[in-house]
Amino acid sequence: MATTDAERRHDPGLRGFASDNYAGVHPEILAAIALANGGHQVSYGEDVYTAHLQEVFRAHFGPRAEVFPVFNGTGANVVALQALTERWGAVICADSAHIHVDECGAPERVGGLKLLTVEAEHGKLTPELIDREAYGWDDEHRAQPQVVSITQSTELGTCYTPEEIRAICDHAHEHGMKVHLDGSRIANAAATLGVPLRAFTTDAGVDALSFGGTKNGLLFGECVVVLNPDAVRAMKHLRKLSMQLASKMRFISVQFEALLAGDLWLRSASHANAMARRLAEGVRAVDGVEIAHPVEANVVFARLPHDVAERLQKRFRFYFWDEPAGLVRWMCSYDTTEQDVDSFTTALTEEMGKR
């Protein structure tokens, strides 16, 4: 039997509410990776798993969908946005958008894009908000608005309805713009809405999206999904240029097959959402704690005294979202348990009682 010198260097029972990226790999995903291992397969996406993945995604998004596996979410967003824009193009997005606040300037520095941000309540754009930046197409001095980028579910844990996304897409297309959807937590949105993935993407008019995997139990990997092939250009070249072409792509593709061919994606997301709802219900009962945004996915944003948050962080890992405002973020994942949630709520109650 093969041996290794590696040792487990963490407590597998340790839980926190900092990020769904903290969670390990879902056992069904690990089994799929092992299934794809052994023997030789053609590299750089010419393998049988990546070929079959096209069928898997088309079952969810329609017959015109094209899928391009990549390494990570920032890479997916940058590649997709580059494919949707020209060199002088700009992207309208919410001021809370991941592409604006959490990607180290990659859309600007790597993609060469100008981001036009709009303040949006609960992280959601509307046609009226888009119009604050949707102008100046004949002005040679202004970066040209060419894409509207929305996030589903949003960075603040809210969800667009299919009708809201349809209104955004119709409005953007009327102005000659395209629509990109950052779907790092797209499964959580579908679970909340109770509709198929295509209901708020393909059927609503979205042109391309970034499909998240690591936040829903994958080891690594995301995908760019082109829903309207007429809206993009040079995807395979931009993926390589952006350093997102995996040599052993079969190990990304087989994970998404395991996630999407059955109901694993929905089971995992539904559970994470349910744990967030349980957490919200528990903390609402604690005097001095305020829920800041609607809890519609797998995250709870709350305001509480700074000293309480600091003490609580020593017991459970989580992040401040806006530290001066006392705003914190608590994330749930596919492996969060009811006991995890209840233990956290008890700890919060105890720390609030020390004030």
Side-chain angles (χ1 to χ4, degrees):
M1 183 176 179
T3 60
T4 176
D5 290 333
E7 299 178 12
R8 172 169 275 170
R9 302 185 185 279
H10 78 288
D11 176 4
L14 186 65
R15 290 289 199 275
F17 293 86
S19 173
D20 36 13
N21 284 322
Y22 277 39
V25 183
H26 195 288
E28 293 179 42
I29 299 297
L30 282 176
I33 294 171
L35 180 70
N37 198 26
H40 288 200
Q41 273 289 301
V42 184
S43 58
Y44 297 107
E46 298 298 321
D47 60 275
V48 295
Y49 295 96
T50 303
H52 180 63
L53 192 63
Q54 304 297 322
E55 299 177 25
V56 172
F57 269 85
R58 284 170 183 160
H60 288 282
F61 293 101
R64 298 190 74 204
E66 300 174 357
V67 59
F68 297 84
V70 296
F71 285 113
N72 54 45
T74 297
N77 287 336
V78 169
V79 170
L81 292 174
Q82 283 181 298
L84 291 165
T85 55
E86 297 169 293
R87 285 285 295 156
W88 49 89
V91 177
I92 299 173
C93 63
D95 59 348
S96 57
H98 199 272
I99 58 174
H100 174 54
V101 299
D102 281 311
E103 296 187 352
C104 198
E108 294 95 339
R109 294 175 179 270
V110 178
L113 297 165
K114 172 68 174 176
L115 299 182
L116 303 173
T117 62
V118 180
E119 184 176 352
E121 185 179 15
H122 303 311
K124 294 172 63 174
L125 289 179
T126 65
E128 293 73 23
L129 291 175
I130 290 167
D131 280 345
R132 294 183 181 179
E133 291 292 348
Y135 65 89
W137 286 280
D138 293 327
D139 185 352
E140 64 201 72
H141 301 283
R142 188 170 196 265
Q144 302 294 289
Q146 294 182 338
V147 173
V148 174
S149 182
I150 61 176
T151 308
Q152 177 79 319
S153 56
T154 72
E155 291 79 6
L156 300 180
T158 54
C159 294
Y160 291 91
T161 66
E163 293 75 21
E164 288 172 330
I165 294 181
R166 165 57 71 183
I168 287 171
C169 290
D170 287 348
H171 191 71
H173 292 155
E174 287 171 3
H175 285 79
M177 297 185 292
K178 302 164 187 175
V179 178
H180 164 258
L181 186 146
D182 181 345
S184 63
R185 296 185 177 94
I186 190 172
N188 300 94
T192 289
L193 296 170
V195 299
L197 290 164
R198 67 173 296 158
F200 58 85
T201 55
T202 311
D203 296 345
V206 172
D207 295 294
L209 63 92
S210 305
F211 193 102
T214 52
K215 292 177 173 60
N216 201 22
L218 267 62
L219 173 62
F220 71 101
E222 317 282 303
C223 288
V224 176
V225 187
V226 176
L227 304 177
N228 177 13
D230 299 328
V232 302
R233 56 177 183 148
M235 268 296 307
K236 66 178 184 179
H237 302 295
L238 288 168
R239 178 173 60 176
K240 177 65 173 180
L241 178 68
S242 300
M243 299 171 283
Q244 289 293 317
L245 181 64
S247 58
K248 296 185 179 181
M249 196 180 294
R250 59 170 150 158
F251 296 109
I252 300 179
S253 298
V254 75
Q255 293 181 78
F256 277 100
E257 179 180 352
L259 187 71
L260 289 168
D263 68 348
L264 177 59
W265 67 279
L266 190 57
R267 280 189 282 124
S268 295
S270 296
H271 176 78
N273 289 359
M275 293 301 98
R277 291 193 300 271
R278 185 182 184 92
L279 177 60
E281 291 168 3
V283 302
R284 278 195 183 101
V286 181
D287 289 339
V289 179
E290 175 192 357
I291 303 297
H293 299 288
V295 179
E296 298 175 349
N298 62 322
V299 59
V300 177
F301 287 88
R303 293 187 180 89
L304 66 161
H306 192 277
D307 61 315
V308 172
E310 286 190 321
R311 291 197 304 271
L312 192 59
Q313 282 180 321
K314 296 177 182 178
R315 302 173 66 172
F316 292 88
R317 185 73 182 264
F318 62 88
Y319 292 114
F320 279 101
W321 187 259
D322 183 348
E323 189 166 2
L327 186 64
V328 299
R329 187 188 76 167
W330 298 322
M331 294 292 314
C332 296
S333 64
Y334 80 88
D335 65 349
T336 302
T337 67
E338 292 183 355
Q339 182 179 350
D340 295 335
V341 172
D342 295 346
S343 296
F344 182 83
T345 304
T346 298
L348 173 61
T349 303
E350 291 172 352
E351 296 302 337
M352 286 294 293
K354 296 177 182 178
R355 301 196 84 237

